[in-house]
Amino acid sequence: MTEFELIERCFGGWSLTDPGLIVGQGDDCLVWQDSAPLAMSIDTAVSGRHFPENATAEQVAQRAFLPAVSDLAAMGADPAFFTLALTLPKTVDDVWLLAFGRRLRELAEQWGLVLAGGDTTSGPVAVISVQVHGRVQHPLLRSGARPGDDVWVSGQTGLAAAVLPNILDPTLPPVPEHWLAAYWQPVPRIELGQKLVGLASAAIDVSDGLAADLGHLAEASGVRIHVDCERLPMETELRTRFGEAVWETVLAGGDDYELAFTAPAEHRETLGSLGRSFNLALTRIGRVEAGDAGVQIRHNGRPLTLGHRGFEHF
């Protein structure tokens, strides 16, 4: 396919629309008009770095799109539209492209984001950039945590990291299917993020690892965060497989796309009810204190030092 055939066959004629989109694909710029402030974030996924080179087209679409949507969840935003920039090697064929476009359309419709524009080019490896935009009147920030707040996390961290060896080497003993889903199809916590507005004092999505991302939140807020390992949500099979190394997996593995957030203690009961309404574990894992900005991790009352805090991009 030529560039314009690619755009038309893979990304043209999508049914999802939005009254905010004044000018979409086909012009030099998109034009969007909205009465609400827009939250914007861009994520780039590189073959061999963010997804295996032998990943299917559908898996690549998921790994590129869903982490970007998770950033909107962390801000409490309502998804609106996205743009897509594709760099593809010449070895990519039409069958792969059509499957990628089909899966991307399904995800866009599921999460309510209109494809408003983008760019395509060729290059030595596949590079996919997704820029998401969402409406948000009162954005959740990383900088609102205050001494006395509780520290919470949604869901279970560590599953994507636990399954990565199997992703890279399929000959390894099998792992639970939901571990594989955690890596290939993370669930952006959009509804949770929206409900946290007015309850949470600060929030961040867990992409680089729980310890690393809580560190970002602590730095932005100028506070000390204490995490108690005994409070961390933990699947029994995780502990069985990893033993004491499980703390590295749960705290530093990354690729979780859960929400870590702080909230005043007065909201504990409300947050418990909120988690039950979503059938989603919301776990209080620590507290915020005054002090030098950073994260202190304790196991059985003693400081725990991790070999690394999370994913390093460079």
Side-chain angles (χ1 to χ4, degrees), residues 45-64 88-89 91-93 95-97 99-100 126 128 164 167-168 170 183-184:
V46 180
S47 176
R49 180 65 169 167
H50 300 96
F51 54 87
E53 294 176 357
N54 63 350
T56 67
E58 293 85 356
Q59 290 170 335
V60 173
Q62 292 162 180
R63 289 284 296 168
L88 298 172
T91 53
V92 170
D93 60 21
V95 173
W96 193 97
L97 282 168
F100 175 85
I128 303 161
L164 184 58
I167 299 290
L168 300 176
Y183 180 86
W184 288 120

Side-chain angles (χ1 to χ4, degrees), residues 63-96:
R63 289 284 296 168
F65 186 79
L66 295 171
V69 179
S70 179
D71 286 332
L72 294 180
M75 301 290 287
D78 179 25
F81 69 95
F82 76 104
T83 57
L84 173 70
L86 283 177
T87 299
L88 298 172
K90 294 185 182 298
T91 53
V92 170
D93 60 21
D94 292 2
V95 173
W96 193 97

Side-chain angles (χ1 to χ4, degrees), residues 98 109 167 185 188 234 308:
L98 290 169
E109 291 177 349
I167 299 290
Q185 299 184 69
M234 179 81 66
H308 69 289

